[in-house]
């Protein structure tokens, strides 16, 4: 994703206890999707298409996980992202304040597209 310009570059990572990873990514001087007025509407679709074309899903494409800088977007917070057909949502999700796509624990491409539809991008 970083090579395609749709995510900050990965600078390093370290595996921690109990399967957690510490991830260090490039700083991006950007604004959150939720906070910008002139939204580059084609960029999130292109980013998600590139992610899916590579065989991955994101799972948490809320506006707080899409950065906008110079008219382009970067996806962040890949905590739940993974390989199509294998990535799953955690058990500890906030269902009180956040509406999530329906369909169980498996993160699917349709879930990512559901998020885009929430921004009227489909």
């Amino acid at each position: 994703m970083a090579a395609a310009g749709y995510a900050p570059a990965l600078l390093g990572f370290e595996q921690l206890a109990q399967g957690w990873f510490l991830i260090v990514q490039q700083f991006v001087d950007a604004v959150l999707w939720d906070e910008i007025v002139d939204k580059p509407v084609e960029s999130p679709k292109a980013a998600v298409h590139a992610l899916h074309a590579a065989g991955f899903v994101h799972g948490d494409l809320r506006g707080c996980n899409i950065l906008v800088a110079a008219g382009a977007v970067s996806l962040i917070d890949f905590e739940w992202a993974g390989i199509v057909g294998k990535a799953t949502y955690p058990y500890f999700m906030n269902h009180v304040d956040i509406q999530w796509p329906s369909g169980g624990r498996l993160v699917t491409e349709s879930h990512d597209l559901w998020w885009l539809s929430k921004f009227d991008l489909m």
Side-chain angles (χ1 to χ4, degrees):
M1 292 299 294
Y6 295 123
L10 178 65
L11 302 178
F13 70 95
E14 181 178 334
Q15 186 167 3
L16 305 175
Q18 300 179 358
W20 288 92
F21 289 90
L22 170 68
I23 306 291
V24 179
Q25 289 184 287
Q26 164 192 22
F27 172 78
V28 177
D29 189 14
V31 178
L32 294 175
W33 180 267
D34 288 342
E35 299 172 353
I36 194 162
V37 175
D38 289 328
K39 296 179 179 0
V41 296
E42 292 303 316
S43 294
K45 289 192 283 190
V48 171
H49 175 73
L51 185 71
H52 292 172
F56 294 94
V57 288
H58 190 283
D60 190 6
L61 289 171
R62 292 177 289 148
C64 61
N65 292 329
I66 302 173
L67 300 178
V68 180
V73 302
S74 289
L75 305 180
I76 60 171
D77 192 6
F78 287 87
E79 180 179 357
W80 302 339
I83 298 170
V84 171
K86 294 187 178 183
T88 58
Y89 291 107
Y91 288 108
F92 55 87
M93 295 172 60
N94 176 355
H95 289 282
V96 175
D97 301 317
I98 301 169
Q99 180 185 6
W100 298 97
S102 61
R105 286 198 60 228
L106 190 65
V107 178
T108 67
E109 292 167 311
S110 64
H111 290 171
D112 290 344
L113 299 177
W114 180 86
W115 284 110
L116 293 181
S117 73
K118 299 276 285 177
F119 303 131
D120 292 326
L121 296 178
M122 291 307 298

